[in-house]
Amino acid sequence: MVLRKARAAGAATVVLAIGFVGVVTLGTYAASGVPESSSATLGLSGGTVPAAYQPQIQKWGALCPEISAPMLAAQLYQESGFDPAAKSPVGASGMAQFMPGSWDAFSVDGDGDGKRDVWNPLDAIASAASYDCLLAKQVANVPGDRQANMLAAYNAGPGAVSQYRGIPPYKETQGYVRSIQALAKSFTAPADPGVQLALSKEATGAIWFAQSKLGTDYLWGGTGQSWENGRFDCSGLTKVAYESVGIELPRVANDQWYAGPHPSRDQLRPGDLVFFANDLEDPRTIHHVGIYVGGGYMIDAPHTGAKVRYDTIDQRDYIGATRVTPDGAAALPDRNMNDGTITKSETPKVD
């Protein structure tokens, strides 16, 4: 959110034998409103942003060297979850969560229709990038990581960054910089197609937990609590499985999607989360998640009337996978916080 309260305050690797018939494999910048050239050439990972917004994010993410398309996508996701109708309790509006005064001062016409509309996602994307680059220019002489300084200026204001000669000692600002840079990795297209064969201890533990729940009844909204008779829904199972190894995931599947990088189908390894969506071009429609165990199978809690079980991932609504990392999970916004972050216009999702 532009003009936040901080501104006002000026392992051991384990090879796992799953036992499922041997299926586990180890396997003022741009015053004209048009972006100029940039060294930021990082591409967006497929399926991480709604297809309707991907060209605009890729275009404006190249506006200046301090930003990139994945970083811009991470900001927009953190601010609103790509919701053009998002409005916070403190008055921040639109996909980029601009406060009214900031919008009046810094917005640009992103789609060339002669208007600057905070509710227009194309204007909001362009304005977020333009404001980022303006801040980058204002703190260009501050030593240190230029992108980190720009993000700190976005959160705390350029005056604070200049005063402290880098990221200010504000907990919110330091967390914001850390979160956006970590979250950007989830939106970045993999540069190296090589498959890592070794399972992390977290992936191993999450699979072990999910296996221990095979045969458990499904419960919509269930997270395995005693008053739920230990039952789960799909994202409740994945959340608690990773909690068992010390990684805190969000409650809903379409937020868990951003908990790490996105391996391709042939790069999957056990422990990856696998996701399914109603619209394969829009991750906001993700409705189901499971834990990959290898050989084309996952453990999941599929639907009412079913039990936690093994299922194939080869389904028409498969949208992709996420390799959960501690940093990626920690970077995700808490959509349940009522601190002025966001009020989403959509109906809450459980799976």
Side-chain angles (χ1 to χ4, degrees):
M1 183 199 318
V2 178
L3 297 184
R4 294 178 178 272
K5 58 188 177 187
R7 296 179 194 167
T13 298
V14 179
V15 177
L16 181 67
I18 294 274
F20 174 55
V21 290
V23 299
V24 173
T25 60
L26 295 183
T28 66
Y29 263 86
S32 64
V34 179
E36 298 176 351
S37 62
S38 167
S39 61
T41 57
L42 294 176
L44 291 167
S45 186
T48 55
V49 302
Y53 309 139
Q54 182 166 342
Q56 196 81 345
I57 293 172
Q58 193 72 61
K59 169 185 173 182
W60 287 94
L63 180 59
C64 65
E66 289 80 9
I67 69 173
S68 67
M71 192 224 78
L72 180 59
Q75 276 189 309
L76 295 167
Y77 171 72
Q78 195 274 349
E79 296 294 346
S80 69
F82 302 113
D83 183 358
K87 186 174 180 65
S88 81
V90 297
S93 301
M95 183 183 289
Q97 290 289 277
F98 273 86
M99 295 295 286
S102 298
W103 181 261
D104 292 342
F106 304 115
S107 63
V108 300
D109 175 12
D111 59 3
D113 65 356
K115 303 176 183 178
R116 294 180 299 149
D117 181 359
V118 73
W119 306 111
N120 180 337
L122 303 186
D123 289 352
I125 292 167
S127 297
S130 296
Y131 186 56
D132 278 343
C133 292
L134 174 61
L135 292 171
K137 187 175 183 181
Q138 292 176 343
V139 298
N141 293 326
V142 175
D145 183 277
R146 292 171 66 91
Q147 185 183 89
N149 288 338
M150 180 272 295
L151 288 169
Y154 186 95
N155 184 266
V161 175
S162 296
Q163 176 186 349
Y164 288 101
R165 305 297 291 163
I167 302 172
Y170 308 149
K171 183 177 180 179
E172 180 187 330
T173 301
Q174 293 174 347
Y176 181 80
V177 173
R178 184 169 55 249
S179 293
I180 294 299
Q181 291 193 315
L183 188 56
K185 296 176 183 178
S186 179
F187 291 92
T188 302
D192 182 1
V195 179
Q196 301 179 35
L197 298 183
L199 274 68
S200 70
K201 61 181 181 181
E202 291 86 3
T204 300
I207 294 172
W208 183 90
F209 180 92
Q211 280 188 300
S212 74
K213 303 304 176 184
L214 287 167
T216 301
D217 288 334
Y218 177 96
L219 175 66
W220 190 86
T223 56
Q225 302 299 320
S226 58
W227 58 86
E228 298 166 330
N229 294 323
R231 295 175 291 173
F232 297 89
D233 67 6
C234 70
S235 56
L237 177 64
T238 52
K239 175 178 173 60
V240 180
Y242 269 95
E243 277 182 0
S244 74
V245 292
I247 296 178
E248 184 74 27
L249 290 175
R251 177 63 187 89
V252 296
N254 57 359
D255 281 334
Q256 293 179 6
W257 170 243
Y258 294 105
H262 303 282
S264 63
R265 177 66 177 81
D266 61 354
Q267 294 172 329
L268 285 175
R269 72 172 189 250
D272 291 343
L273 297 184
V274 284
F275 294 85
F276 305 83
N278 294 321
D279 180 350
L280 300 185
E281 294 188 336
D282 191 344
R284 294 172 299 177
T285 69
I286 287 173
H287 63 83
H288 189 59
V289 60
I291 298 178
Y292 188 64
V293 296
Y297 284 86
M298 64 180 169
I299 297 175
D300 67 331
H303 53 74
T304 300
K307 298 179 183 295
V308 176
R309 67 192 189 191
Y310 292 106
D311 272 320
T312 179
I313 70 167
D314 293 324
Q315 303 176 30
R316 289 186 298 176
D317 56 350
Y318 175 79
I319 190 173
T322 296
R323 184 155 298 151
V324 176
T325 66
D327 287 347
L332 294 172
D334 185 348
R335 302 297 184 195
N336 295 320
M337 291 177 65
N338 190 23
D339 64 351
T341 305
I342 174 179
T343 299
K344 298 191 76 175
S345 63
E346 65 188 19
T347 302
K349 298 180 177 66
V350 172
D351 276 353

